[in-house]
Amino acid sequence: MHKLRNGFPDDFLWGGAISASQADGGWNEGGKGKSTQDCRWLDGTWTHEQIEEKHHNNPFSHDELMAALDDDGTEFYPFRRGCDFYHHWKEDLDLFAEMGLKLFRTSICWSRIFPNGDDETPNAEGIAWYRELFTACHERGIKTFVTMLHYDIPVNLVTKYGGWKSRKTIDFFVRYVETIVDELGDLVDFWLPFNEFNAGRFAPWDGVCLVADEEGEKLDQSIFQCLHHEFVANAHAVRIVHEKFPGVPVGGMIARFCTYPATCKPEDSLQALHDDQYANWFYTDVMARGAYPAYMCRYFDQVDVEIEMEPGDEELLAEHTVDFLAFSYYFSQVATADQGWAKTSGNLVMANKNPYLESTEWGWQIDPIGLRVTLNQMYDRYGLPLYIAENGLGTSDVLEEDDSVHDPYRIDYLKRHIETMRDAVIDGVDVRGYMIWGFLDIVACGPLSMSKRYGLIYVDLDNEGKGTGRRYRKDSFYWYKNCIAANGEALDDTLKQ
Ligand code: BG6
């Protein structure tokens, strides 16, 4: 018999998250090779509107890739610099510790370990850097939640082998995973093989490193074949961690698109069911239940996709399922059979607009209740422990002359989401950790800009990479510190510094 809970468990993990490509920089230092994310270019002088119009909604193209491969650092590629965590990590970890952070999520950059992806031996300097970083986390009482692949694969694997289209990439990934688990496994508390598994469907360059205009009409077929290879690679990663470090949890993650029917018309409900299956459940079903769900047969038939599997793939997926599920949560959307429904931006996708919700500066609809709905839905379906791997508000901030940053809008956003997460705990959901995304300001993934800031720590760099790079505590820094100390209770009172 379950007992009614009255709030967060004592061991709840209050966390923060970043990714290597968006934060680290040092793209050509320490033996690192060029990654796929090092190839995404931005004109730093573009306005917000220009970024949305010219960049954010355009898939990565063949011409962009060719230009990036030739470029030796003359042009401005924001991910090559990030927020320079590579050089600032000690002071950043000190700030995290000052806040009382309990869990830090970052990713390992594959091309820092295997610069070309197909190298026979790993880059010792890269391994040493991560050992130092994770050791320093533990010394500060912070657990590590480590993503093996957050969108950035060695670009050589794409140009030479076709990236995830080739099964060879599975082999290279397995070598990479065996190496990082052997070399760093004693310092990792949670492993997450892939960031946002469903991203490949919506942002092919990020998720499965496909150049959309090179695929033409075969794009859907190529995406799902790549995703199949990633599912196989994911199962291998689960197997490897379980074999080498039994008891260390390995998870699966998606970008969760919470979807409501736009009206009570049965057609809208059916649309919501399908949107949820195709955009969300497919991915977690494979990773947590260990098999392709039956509903995808009809979908694959409709979009003319045929997955090529090799003998043994299905057994591998069935045998090596994940121990927990994680997801990013930023917005909700509505599902409708009405083709003319108004649209707005959302994470990775254009979303159908919900007239009852307000939006961020970037058009993402703010819906704290959707987080509670999502947590309940995911726990009902899988009964696995849940971690919110990303949540937060991306918006512009102002650094005042006295070095303060007043961000009551971010505090309000976080507070409302944490409150509904607490409600989900009382609903009986086994949610064990919450990681605020872009914990210190990093380069935003979609727009590639610094001006879309998520951090509780302000980093003085602009969209052109100009600035001192200095770190400043925002008001939300003090707020989260108090929230952590109070274990998420009495949030109204935690504003005081
Ligand atoms: C998630 C990604 O999709 O959303 C992150 O895992 C990303 O890498 C985050 O930064 C927020 O999106 P954006 O485009 O605002 O940075």
Side-chain angles (χ1 to χ4, degrees):
M1 179 69 184
H2 296 289
K3 284 216 175 90
L4 178 66
R5 298 187 190 140
N6 58 7
F8 292 106
D10 289 343
D11 56 357
F12 189 80
L13 293 170
W14 298 98
I18 57 174
S19 75
S21 67
Q22 293 169 263
D24 293 358
W27 72 288
N28 55 3
E29 291 175 62
K32 180 184 170 306
K34 205 178 253 183
S35 84
T36 46
Q37 291 294 334
D38 291 331
C39 297
R40 292 181 60 205
W41 173 84
L42 175 84
D43 181 333
T45 66
W46 282 347
T47 61
H48 177 148
E49 289 68 33
Q50 285 171 313
I51 291 175
E52 290 239 65
E53 186 193 313
K54 300 192 196 186
H55 199 77
H56 190 44
N57 300 320
N58 288 342
F60 189 75
S61 70
H62 173 81
D63 290 348
E64 276 181 86
L65 176 59
M66 291 304 123
L69 291 176
D70 282 346
D71 186 88
D72 54 1
T74 320
E75 280 284 321
F76 180 57
Y77 287 83
F79 284 139
R80 297 184 188 181
R81 180 221 53 207
C83 69
D84 203 20
F85 182 72
Y86 189 68
H87 296 110
H88 287 258
W89 64 271
K90 278 192 189 130
E91 61 172 294
D92 290 340
L93 287 195
D94 284 344
L95 285 169
F96 299 172
E98 181 185 325
M99 225 185 288
L101 201 75
K102 298 188 187 303
L103 184 65
F104 174 50
R105 174 181 177 221
T106 189
S107 63
I108 296 176
C109 172
W110 187 348
S111 63
R112 199 173 279 292
I113 305 295
F114 288 98
N116 302 296
D118 58 356
D119 319 71
E120 290 295 329
T121 49
N123 168 33
E125 212 178 326
I127 291 170
W129 188 70
Y130 284 109
R131 279 208 71 80
E132 226 191 317
L133 176 67
F134 298 157
T135 304
C137 288
H138 282 171
E139 282 168 359
R140 289 162 177 77
I142 301 171
K143 289 188 193 295
T144 51
F145 189 105
V146 178
T147 316
M148 296 176 175
L149 183 54
H150 193 126
Y151 295 166
D152 53 343
I153 90 167
V155 75
N156 175 58
L157 291 184
V158 178
T159 51
K160 198 155 156 196
Y161 304 94
W164 286 109
K165 276 202 282 186
S166 160
R167 286 192 74 102
K168 283 210 171 83
T169 297
I170 303 176
D171 300 335
F172 295 129
F173 184 75
V174 165
R175 185 191 296 172
Y176 162 64
V177 174
E178 280 174 342
T179 304
I180 56 176
V181 173
D182 279 340
E183 300 287 344
L184 304 166
D186 58 320
L187 299 170
V188 175
D189 299 294
F190 301 88
W191 284 106
L192 187 66
F194 286 85
N195 180 58
E196 299 186 332
F197 223 100
N198 48 346
R201 180 77 187 89
F202 306 102
W205 182 248
D206 292 344
V208 288
C209 57
L210 276 181
V211 182
D213 61 1
E214 288 176 359
E215 299 304 316
E217 291 189 351
K218 304 185 286 92
L219 185 60
D220 278 343
Q221 170 65 34
S222 301
I223 286 174
F224 281 102
Q225 191 59 49
C226 286
L227 283 166
H228 177 67
H229 294 157
E230 286 192 348
F231 280 133
V232 171
N234 185 72
H236 276 299
V238 175
R239 174 184 60 76
I240 293 165
V241 176
H242 284 169
E243 279 169 10
K244 294 181 187 284
F245 285 90
V248 173
V250 195
M253 178 190 172
I254 57 166
R256 172 69 196 195
F257 308 125
C258 178
T259 307
Y260 309 129
T263 70
C264 51
K265 272 203 307 216
E267 287 82 357
D268 287 349
S269 264
L270 186 64
Q271 187 65 46
L273 172 74
H274 285 157
D275 287 357
D276 224 1
Q277 287 178 325
Y278 305 150
N280 294 304
W281 295 137
F282 165 50
Y283 303 89
T284 39
D285 281 355
V286 177
M287 289 189 283
R289 291 176 164 170
Y292 274 58
Y295 54 78
M296 286 308 279
C297 296
R298 186 168 193 176
Y299 178 76
F300 286 150
D301 185 54
Q302 279 162 6
V303 295
D304 204 15
V305 162
E306 212 167 314
I307 308 287
E308 235 177 79
M309 295 206 193
E310 285 205 348
D313 283 2
E314 285 180 295
E315 290 74 10
L316 191 84
L317 296 182
E319 221 175 307
H320 303 290
T321 55
V322 293
D323 305 311
F324 66 86
L325 287 169
F327 61 92
S328 59
Y329 179 83
Y330 293 100
F331 73 107
S332 68
Q333 59 183 352
V334 300
T336 169
D338 173 355
Q339 299 295 324
W341 196 273
K343 301 259 190 290
T344 185
S345 299
N347 184 23
L348 302 168
V349 293
M350 286 301 285
N352 287 320
K353 208 168 173 153
N354 184 335
Y356 298 102
L357 297 177
E358 49 179 329
S359 297
T360 71
E361 191 184 319
W362 288 85
W364 297 19
Q365 304 183 117
I366 303 173
D367 180 13
I369 291 176
L371 177 60
R372 180 175 175 187
V373 171
T374 294
L375 284 163
N376 273 277
Q377 288 173 332
M378 290 189 70
Y379 192 57
D380 280 353
R381 194 172 177 108
Y382 302 107
L384 288 174
L386 298 176
Y387 292 84
I388 297 163
E390 294 180 26
N391 175 241
L393 175 70
T395 193
S396 40
D397 289 316
V398 178
L399 177 64
E400 307 286 351
E401 281 190 0
D402 64 356
D403 291 348
S404 59
V405 178
H406 303 301
D407 56 348
Y409 35 87
R410 183 167 293 104
I411 292 172
D412 180 62
Y413 179 101
L414 297 173
K415 175 176 171 290
R416 286 159 62 203
H417 283 80
I418 290 171
E419 278 169 355
T420 61
M421 177 169 62
R422 183 177 179 277
D423 280 328
V425 171
I426 298 169
D427 291 339
V429 175
D430 184 9
V431 50
R432 299 187 183 179
Y434 172 76
M435 288 159 261
I436 294 179
W437 177 249
F439 201 52
L440 77 162
D441 292 342
I442 57 178
V443 178
C445 188
L448 290 178
S449 58
M450 278 303 293
S451 55
K452 189 180 185 193
R453 296 174 181 274
Y454 286 85
L456 312 192
I457 298 165
Y458 186 94
V459 177
D460 179 30
L461 287 173
D462 67 15
N463 288 356
E464 293 180 85
K466 293 182 185 146
T468 61
R470 263 192 227 121
R471 277 60 172 152
Y472 299 88
R473 296 167 186 80
K474 301 184 191 177
D475 286 355
S476 54
F477 175 101
Y478 301 104
W479 181 85
Y480 196 44
K481 181 178 178 186
N482 289 327
C483 166
I484 296 173
N487 201 29
E489 299 295 330
L491 296 179
D492 280 334
D493 298 332
T494 57
L495 259 167
K496 55 185 177 304
Q497 296 183 13

